[in-house]
């Protein structure tokens, strides 16, 4: 059929207090203004009286600013599994810690303090 358009339907995500999310301020984004995207922590959810839409209040983690009335259409979850992937897949059998990301090395050093000497030396 000519003129038929398809629309991608994204499943609704429900966020709870403490979830870490990525938020994009759509107006700033489309206008090319800086500071349009940030990482935030969900503080609460509430339903807008007029629209019936669920909105969220976030704390912007970079500045600890409180942002109210965030539209979830412009939020994406930042799952812990993604944040921890580099540590979970760190090549522990490698003799060169340069093969590991800095985050993996830092985590290992923190959690292996008594055995820190057991880590291979960084070249």
């Amino acid at each position: 059929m000519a003129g038929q358009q398809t629309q991608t339907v994204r499943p609704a995500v429900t966020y709870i207090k403490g979830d870490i999310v990525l938020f994009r301020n759509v107006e700033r984004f489309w206008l090319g203004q800086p500071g349009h995207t940030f990482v935030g922590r969900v503080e609460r959810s509430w339903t807008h009286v007029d629209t019936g839409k669920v909105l969220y209040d976030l704390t912007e983690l970079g500045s600890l600013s409180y942002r109210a009335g965030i539209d979830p259409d412009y939020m994406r979850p930042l799952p812990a599994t993604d944040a921890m992937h580099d540590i979970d897949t760190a090549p522990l059998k490698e003799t060169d810690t340069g093969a590991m990301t800095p985050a993996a090395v830092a985590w290992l050093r923190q959690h292996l303090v008594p055995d820190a000497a057991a880590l291979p030396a960084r070249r």
Side-chain angles (χ1 to χ4, degrees), residues 78-96:
L78 293 176
T81 53
D82 291 350
M84 302 307 288
H85 178 76
D86 61 334
I87 291 169
D88 295 339
T89 59
L92 298 178
K93 302 289 187 214
E94 293 286 330
T95 57
D96 178 14

Side-chain angles (χ1 to χ4, degrees), residues 42-113:
V42 174
E43 300 300 335
R44 74 180 189 117
S45 63
W46 50 281
T47 303
H48 192 279
V49 177
D50 295 331
T51 65
K53 184 167 187 159
V54 174
L55 300 175
Y56 293 87
D57 293 352
L58 306 177
T59 296
E60 182 179 346
L61 296 180
S63 65
L64 298 180
S65 301
Y66 194 79
R67 305 283 185 108
I70 301 293
D71 185 335
D73 289 344
Y74 299 99
M75 291 169 44
R76 296 296 181 266
L78 293 176
T81 53
D82 291 350
M84 302 307 288
H85 178 76
D86 61 334
I87 291 169
D88 295 339
T89 59
L92 298 178
K93 302 289 187 214
E94 293 286 330
T95 57
D96 178 14
T97 58
M100 293 186 220
T101 65
V105 173
W107 187 90
L108 287 169
R109 289 196 190 281
Q110 285 178 340
H111 289 83
L112 298 175
V113 171

